[in-house]
């Protein structure tokens, strides 16, 4: 180095500096550049992962919304049916509807299970879900506007287990002279029957269907029959709650009723002092007039038998006192004989 000139010395120093800077670049800056690029690549990969997860989250949220909507639709379809069929509840519901609409003279009440074909799935197997239908059949009687109607204890002549003949004579006189409220009302029951059916059908049109309605003339009054179908479904995997407070799905009548003072059959008089019917005579009501008291139907038949003109004479449609088919104040006298 001592033999080198000043120029050579500075050249050597410059070379050494360049070499040192080169090694610094190789060992430091280049390494840092590589690490930086790696970090950038990793950041890009992580950002892509975040973007994927965000998209997946959005898809999951959309799926949740769609699932919730489908679930709501399923529940809505399930709720179209009665959650569970209880025959006693359906019978209570139907009879109360008719009674509330002014049609109380029940003649018969029956129920029957209606079967449907099984559901075959696309793979040929049979579905475990099935349609359930209970048919309630009722027959009610109208009145005839002449005989004395009776529902529960109305127009009863029995007081404390003893017939009250004065009450009987008063009622019979009202019947013959057509001055009783049942005469003024005329034959009732048909409109009330139809109104009750409309009321029942409108309560739940999806689950309650009228199957048939018929009316049969029975000589002065009518026997009205309706068959009402109530639909339910059994689901293997039910989503909705299997309960309802609807009057046709849950019992809405009296509960905890004591039955120890009831009676079986039709006794002449109830002698159980614990019974609500204590000292009430319950004779057999005429099958020909299910709406009428037993005594009015008996008197009516006796009047027809005793009148030479039969039914037209009893109704005042024949005789000298008839003007234009209407009696002119004439009445039929009937002697009441009691043993």
């Amino acid at each position: 180095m001592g033999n080198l000139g000043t120029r050579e010395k500075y050249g050597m120093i410059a070379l050494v500096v360049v070499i040192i800077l080169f090694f610094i670049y190789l060992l430091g800056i280049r390494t840092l550049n590589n690490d930086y690029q790696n970090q950038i690549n990793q950041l890009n990969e992580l950002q892509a992962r975040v973007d994927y997860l965000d998209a997946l989250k959005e898809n999951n949220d959309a799926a949740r919304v769609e699932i919730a909507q489908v679930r709501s639709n399923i529940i809505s379809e399930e709720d179209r049916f009665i959650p569970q069929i209880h025959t006693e509840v359906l019978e209570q519901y139907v009879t109360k509807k008719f009674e509330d609409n002014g049609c109380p003279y029940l003649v018969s009440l029956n129920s029957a299970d209606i079967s449907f074909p099984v559901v075959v799935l696309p793979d040929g197997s049979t579905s475990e879900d099935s349609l359930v239908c209970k048919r309630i059949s009722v027959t009610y009687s109208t009145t005839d506007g002449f005989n004395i109607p009776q529902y529960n204890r109305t127009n009863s002549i029995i007081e404390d287990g003893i017939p009250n003949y004065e009450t009987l004579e008063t009622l019979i006189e009202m019947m013959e002279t057509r001055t009783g409220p049942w005469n003024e009302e005329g034959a009732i029951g048909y409109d009330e029957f139809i109104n009750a059916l409309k009321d029942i059908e409108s309560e739940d049109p999806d689950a309650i269907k009228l199957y048939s309605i018929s009316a049969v003339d029975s000589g002065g009054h009518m026997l009205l029959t309706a068959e009402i179908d109530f639909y339910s479904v059994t689901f293997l995997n039910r989503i909705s709650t299997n309960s309802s407070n609807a009057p046709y799905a849950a019992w809405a009548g009296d509960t905890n009723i004591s039955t120890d003072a009831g009676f079986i059959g039709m006794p002449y008089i109830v002698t159980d002092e614990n019974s609500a019917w204590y000292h009430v005579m319950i004779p057999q009501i005429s099958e020909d007039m299910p709406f009428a008291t037993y005594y009015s139907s008996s008197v009516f038949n006796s009047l027809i038998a005793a009148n030479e003109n039969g039914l037209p004479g009893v109704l005042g449609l024949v005789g000298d006192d008839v003007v234009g088919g209407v009696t002119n104040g004439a009445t039929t006298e009937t002697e009441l004989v009691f043993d």
Side-chain angles (χ1 to χ4, degrees), residues 102-107 139-143 149-151 154 188 290-292:
C103 195
Y105 305 113
L106 176 66
V107 177
T139 298
Y140 281 85
S141 174
T142 69
T143 62
Q150 183 175 50
Y151 177 61
T154 58
I188 62 172
F291 66 91

Side-chain angles (χ1 to χ4, degrees), residues 267-289:
Y268 290 112
I269 186 171
V270 178
T271 57
D272 187 346
E273 61 183 13
N274 295 317
S275 174
W277 296 90
Y278 179 54
H279 271 178
V280 172
M281 187 178 296
I282 307 179
Q284 179 68 43
I285 298 175
S286 170
E287 295 181 358
D288 295 332
M289 299 176 185

Side-chain angles (χ1 to χ4, degrees), residues 20 107 125-126 178 207 210 237 284 287 293 306 333:
I20 292 173
V107 177
S125 62
T126 301
R178 303 186 203 177
L210 297 181
N237 298 305
Q284 179 68 43
E287 295 181 358
T293 61
E333 294 295 334

